[in-house]
């Protein structure tokens, strides 16, 4: 029987999306088991002090309602909500995790597919996710290991699983970075973000990155915070970018 090759610690890739009308993006945190454990515990610690404002320790770190002070976050003062974003980004950096950031402008993609009369028209979320998987596969190769993809639950998850299987059988569409995702394990596993601090952290990174590329902040203080957060997020990122 052929001997199984020994790899270094398998990478876990936690993926979530964020989008505006003019940009569809994904953010991911890539970490090994020890980093995942440490970061999960640290994110529990980020939420714990918010009990003073009525936030239960199990409350999901969900970027949109935190940023806008909606739902259970409406009683939390702006400074405390801003601190959540800062603490999450600092925690990801302290864990030594790697970030993936990929996005696609829907209108530009539609024009590209129309002008070239492409036989297959892929939606922006599928293209952006494909691009993220390609970078993850490449990142795993540079570290001589494998990676498992865990994404936030979504209605079209079965289609993403089907596309993932096609990529591994026939290769990703197009000549650029063509790959069979040999370094990625099994399938795409979907989990509810409210039970995963890692998916919640990915949501925060994706939200900040997409917002920074689509919204001009009118409050100077808010603009400075967003600029600092995006700078820190992109410094942790492996080949971030927006298609094309």
């Amino acid at each position: 029987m052929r001997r199984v090759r020994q790899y270094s610690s398998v990478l876990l890739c936690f993926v979530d999306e964020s989008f505006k009308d003019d940009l569809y993006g994904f953010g991911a945190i890539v970490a090994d088991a020890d980093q995942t454990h440490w970061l999960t515990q640290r994110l529990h610690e980020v939420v714990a002090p918010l009990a003073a404002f009525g936030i239960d320790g199990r409350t999901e770190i969900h970027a949109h309602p935190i940023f806008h002070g909606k739902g259970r976050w409406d009683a939390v003062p702006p400074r405390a909500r801003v601190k959540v974003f800062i603490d999450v980004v600092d925690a990801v950096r302290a864990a030594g995790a790697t970030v993936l950031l990929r996005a696609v402008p829907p209108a530009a993609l539609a024009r590209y597919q129309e002008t070239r009369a492409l036989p297959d028209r892929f939606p922006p979320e599928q293209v952006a996710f494909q691009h993220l998987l390609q970078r993850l596969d490449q990142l795993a190769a540079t570290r001589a290991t494998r990676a498992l993809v865990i994404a936030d639950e979504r209605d079209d998850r079965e289609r993403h699983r089907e596309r993932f299987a096609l990529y591994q059988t026939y290769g990703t569409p197009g000549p650029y970075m063509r790959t069979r995702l040999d370094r990625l394990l099994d399938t795409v596993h979907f989990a509810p973000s409210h039970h995963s601090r890692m998916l919640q952290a990915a949501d925060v990174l994706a939200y900040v990155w997409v917002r920074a590329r689509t919204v001009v902040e009118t409050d100077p203080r808010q603009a400075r915070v967003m600029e600092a957060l995006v700078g820190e997020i992109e410094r942790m990122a492996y080949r971030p970018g927006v298609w094309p």
Side-chain angles (χ1 to χ4, degrees):
M1 185 169 66
R2 185 167 61 90
R3 182 181 178 184
V4 176
R5 180 180 174 185
Q6 296 298 309
Y7 290 90
S8 58
S9 179
V10 169
L11 298 173
L12 303 174
C13 179
F14 299 88
V15 188
D16 206 350
E17 66 179 3
S18 184
F19 56 89
K20 298 284 188 180
D21 289 342
D22 50 349
L23 191 65
Y24 203 109
F26 284 95
I29 296 173
V30 184
D32 64 22
D34 288 338
Q35 291 169 328
T36 297
H37 176 75
W38 184 90
L39 184 50
T40 297
Q41 299 308 309
R42 177 67 190 100
L43 293 173
H44 288 324
E45 294 171 359
V46 168
V47 176
L50 298 170
F53 307 108
I55 297 297
D56 184 271
R58 297 167 297 176
T59 299
E60 180 177 2
I61 303 172
H62 193 187
H64 187 273
I66 297 175
F67 189 92
H68 295 283
K70 300 294 185 180
R72 65 182 63 189
W73 295 90
D74 62 354
V76 182
R79 181 171 296 181
R81 289 187 281 112
V82 169
K83 189 174 186 301
V84 172
F85 282 87
I86 295 172
D87 286 349
V88 169
V89 174
D90 284 349
V92 175
R93 176 189 51 76
T98 300
V99 173
L100 298 176
L101 303 163
R102 300 302 306 180
V104 170
L109 177 65
R111 287 194 301 271
Y112 176 86
Q113 295 179 143
E114 181 66 30
T115 56
R116 285 161 179 77
L118 298 180
D120 296 314
R121 309 293 174 90
F122 302 123
E125 64 271 21
Q126 184 174 317
V127 175
F129 193 56
Q130 173 198 319
H131 292 174
L132 184 139
L133 293 176
Q134 288 171 313
R135 270 79 185 171
L136 175 61
D137 184 65
Q138 189 177 67
L139 176 63
T142 66
R143 299 185 183 179
T145 189
R146 308 279 186 180
L148 184 71
V149 182
I150 304 164
D152 188 16
E153 283 186 329
R154 47 189 301 129
D155 293 339
D156 62 349
R157 55 187 177 271
E158 191 56 35
R159 184 178 67 184
H160 283 286
R161 291 191 186 106
E162 291 172 355
R163 297 306 305 182
F164 186 90
L166 286 172
Y167 299 157
Q168 290 198 314
T169 303
Y170 303 109
T172 51
Y176 180 63
M177 286 192 71
R178 187 170 178 81
T179 174
R180 290 192 178 184
L181 305 178
D182 292 329
R183 294 282 173 168
L184 306 190
L185 298 171
D186 198 33
T187 184
V188 180
H189 294 265
F190 291 90
S193 62
H194 58 273
H195 288 312
S196 170
R197 289 297 189 203
M198 296 298 290
L199 288 175
Q200 293 166 32
D203 170 70
V204 169
L205 302 189
Y207 181 88
V208 170
W209 188 63
V210 169
R211 181 178 176 87
R213 288 179 169 271
T214 56
V215 176
V216 176
E217 306 292 350
T218 56
D219 184 317
R221 293 170 300 179
Q222 188 164 294
R224 287 194 295 271
V225 171
M226 289 294 288
E227 182 179 6
L229 288 175
V230 171
E232 191 65 38
I233 290 169
E234 290 190 336
R235 278 190 288 274
M236 294 185 285
Y238 176 79
R239 299 189 63 185
V242 175
W243 178 91

